[in-house]
Amino acid sequence: MGEQLRGRPRVRVDAWATIATVACRIIHLIPGLSFGGPTRCLIGLARASADSGAFLHEVIGLRSSSSGVRRMLEEAGLPVMEDPQPAHLMDAIEGADLVLLHFWNTPEVDSLLRAAWPKGRLVICCHVAGDTPPQLVTPELIAFSDL
């Protein structure tokens, strides 16, 4: 009951409980936005939960993308921030109820994981097999995630 995840209390949700009227703010961190699989994955996750009204999804691309990709995300109802300044990025992470990092090994993700993180809940979704260099999923990476 008093257990903490990254400084926030762990919340136990009963399978039969009703969802609170306050929406859960989810920040999707993604190294780069494209028309490929990881971007489409986050759009699918956001659409799948949209009907409940219990989740607000936002996207932060760690580097800039094309206007076509931004348009695709905006048409899906997803606010997008790209290439954020470090302070803005950490403010967004701190203000989220959940941060979902769409992981593959890039310099931007490496820098982000080495930075000082604010309190919060982090889930890492690996978009790589993780068993060969340079796309290794290390025990330290797994330990950094809350789930």
Side-chain angles (χ1 to χ4, degrees):
M1 283 291 188
E3 191 174 353
Q4 299 267 316
L5 282 176
R6 228 175 270 292
R8 293 190 182 179
R10 181 183 293 270
V11 178
R12 183 188 155 118
V13 179
D14 186 314
W16 301 104
T18 6
I19 295 175
T21 56
V22 176
C24 176
R25 182 174 176 226
I26 299 173
I27 299 288
H28 294 264
L29 294 178
I30 187 164
L33 296 163
S34 70
F35 291 107
T39 302
R40 293 191 184 274
C41 173
L42 75 83
I43 290 171
L45 288 169
R47 282 186 174 154
S49 67
D51 291 339
S52 73
F55 303 98
L56 295 174
H57 296 266
E58 298 171 41
V59 178
I60 299 177
L62 299 179
R63 60 180 175 257
S64 297
S65 67
S66 72
S67 60
V69 173
R70 282 191 302 279
R71 190 170 34 258
M72 178 178 70
L73 288 160
E74 290 164 356
E75 287 172 359
L78 295 167
V80 181
M81 178 193 312
E82 293 182 288
D83 197 18
Q85 294 297 315
H88 291 117
L89 178 58
M90 290 304 163
D91 286 347
I93 289 171
E94 188 170 25
D97 295 304
L98 177 72
V99 175
L100 179 54
L101 173 61
H102 295 267
F103 175 84
W104 65 93
N105 192 13
T106 68
E108 296 86 359
V109 170
D110 184 64
S111 293
L112 176 63
L113 292 174
R114 292 175 189 275
W117 277 60
K119 294 179 180 179
R121 294 183 183 97
L122 173 67
V123 174
I124 297 176
C125 177
C126 292
H127 292 280
V128 295
D131 59 346
T132 59
Q135 298 296 342
L136 292 174
V137 175
T138 64
E140 293 82 9
L141 178 66
I142 301 300
F144 192 69
S145 178
D146 296 313
L147 179 65

Short mmCIF file of all heavy atoms in Angstrom, two decimals, residues 20 30 44 72 75 88:
data_model
loop_
_atom_site.label_atom_id
_atom_site.label_comp_id
_atom_site.label_asym_id
_atom_site.label_seq_id
_atom_site.Cartn_x
_atom_site.Cartn_y
_atom_site.Cartn_z
N ALA A 20 -11.74 6.70 -12.71
CA ALA A 20 -11.96 8.03 -12.16
C ALA A 20 -12.39 9.00 -13.27
O ALA A 20 -12.12 8.79 -14.43
CB ALA A 20 -10.68 8.52 -11.50
N ILE A 30 9.21 9.46 -28.05
CA ILE A 30 9.64 8.65 -29.18
C ILE A 30 10.86 9.33 -29.81
O ILE A 30 10.87 10.55 -29.97
CB ILE A 30 8.48 8.46 -30.18
CG1 ILE A 30 8.85 7.49 -31.29
CG2 ILE A 30 7.94 9.78 -30.70
CD1 ILE A 30 7.65 6.97 -32.08
N GLY A 44 -2.20 3.84 -32.48
CA GLY A 44 -3.13 2.76 -32.17
C GLY A 44 -3.46 2.68 -30.68
O GLY A 44 -4.62 2.49 -30.30
N MET A 72 -0.51 13.69 -39.56
CA MET A 72 -1.12 12.39 -39.26
C MET A 72 -1.44 12.28 -37.76
O MET A 72 -2.53 11.83 -37.38
CB MET A 72 -0.17 11.26 -39.69
CG MET A 72 -0.69 9.87 -39.37
SD MET A 72 0.43 8.55 -39.95
CE MET A 72 1.84 8.72 -38.84
N GLU A 75 -4.31 14.71 -36.86
CA GLU A 75 -5.59 14.17 -37.33
C GLU A 75 -6.09 13.06 -36.43
O GLU A 75 -7.29 12.82 -36.32
CB GLU A 75 -5.46 13.67 -38.77
CG GLU A 75 -5.36 14.80 -39.78
CD GLU A 75 -5.04 14.33 -41.19
OE1 GLU A 75 -4.85 13.11 -41.40
OE2 GLU A 75 -4.94 15.20 -42.08
N HIS A 88 11.93 21.90 -20.95
CA HIS A 88 10.53 21.65 -21.34
C HIS A 88 10.22 20.16 -21.31
O HIS A 88 9.12 19.76 -20.90
CB HIS A 88 10.26 22.22 -22.74
CG HIS A 88 10.27 23.70 -22.78
ND1 HIS A 88 11.19 24.40 -23.53
CD2 HIS A 88 9.50 24.63 -22.18
CE1 HIS A 88 10.98 25.70 -23.37
NE2 HIS A 88 9.97 25.86 -22.56
#
